[in-house]
Amino acid sequence: AQSVAQPEDQVNVAEGNPLTVKCTYSVSGNPYLFWYVQYPNRGLQFLLKYITGDNLVKGSYGFEAEFNKSQTSFHLKKPSALVSDSALYFCAVRYTGGFKTIFGAGTRLFVKA
Amino acid sequence: NAGVTQTPKFQVLKTGQSMTLQCAQDMNHNSMYWYRQDPGMGLRLIYYSASEGTTDKGEVPNGYNVSRLNKREFSLRLESAAPSQTSVYFCASSELPSGEGSYNEQFFGPGTRLTVL
């Protein structure tokens, strides 16, 4: 069965420091992996996705994510955090040949000035 | 383009009442989805419509029905609301290319916050 785990409910980081939001997945077949961000009282917005090819994927607002097949991980990273990055982040997976997207429980990121 | 729109934004129901949540998208997407979001549980798929004329159950379909009215519109109906259906409901849409699976991202509406007393 497909599953996505975001092991941290919350991540705290100081502005200007690098940030990492972790995600691991379990899926049969090749995965399509996504990161979404949700600001308060808003719907989810797409950040980036991995389909195939280069393991390092770059997305919106300076975010990037690294696909690691051996560790079944897809961690979200940013070299220098901004206060405005504070939001709820969701990792999601869909497998090749599948249709449904499975979302993780979400990680709340707090960036302190 | 408005993207994905949802009405209403907020709703309070009494147990046993019925209501329909409306969703429309103007991106000419084939696929549409309804999710519910509960604290600590992420998003759970209620129903989806791969293309106009088709609907399928997701992870948590009990207590809900859907209608894919046309390519643009996908509604979610609660026939007899229960307190367990208190949640934030999101509609989403995406392209669905031919071939195996879909790697296209989803576009989400702003959500409907529903409280059932």
Side-chain angles (χ1 to χ4, degrees), chain A residues 35-36 39 48 59 65 81 87 91 99 108 112:
Chain A
W35 275 102
Y36 291 85
Y39 298 101
L48 51 79
C91 182
F99 186 83
R108 192 165 297 279
K112 190 180 292 187

Side-chain angles (χ1 to χ4, degrees), chain A residues 32 34 36 38 41-46 49 51 88 90 94-106, chain B residues 31 33 35 37 40-43 45 48-50 57-58 90 96 100-106 108-110 113:
Chain A
Y32 299 138
F34 304 82
Y36 291 85
Q38 184 181 30
N41 301 314
R42 304 283 296 276
L44 278 68
Q45 297 176 34
F46 168 75
K49 64 183 175 185
I51 301 172
L88 188 56
F90 290 96
R94 178 182 285 171
Y95 62 91
T96 308
F99 186 83
K100 300 173 190 176
T101 301
I102 304 298
F103 286 83
Chain B
S31 305
Y33 316 77
Y35 292 92
Q37 183 182 25
M41 301 190 74
L43 272 72
L45 183 64
Y48 66 98
S49 172
K57 294 178 180 179
F90 289 101
L96 181 64
E100 55 178 22
S102 169
Y103 47 78
N104 289 304
E105 62 271 22
Q106 296 177 30
F108 285 81
R113 189 173 296 273

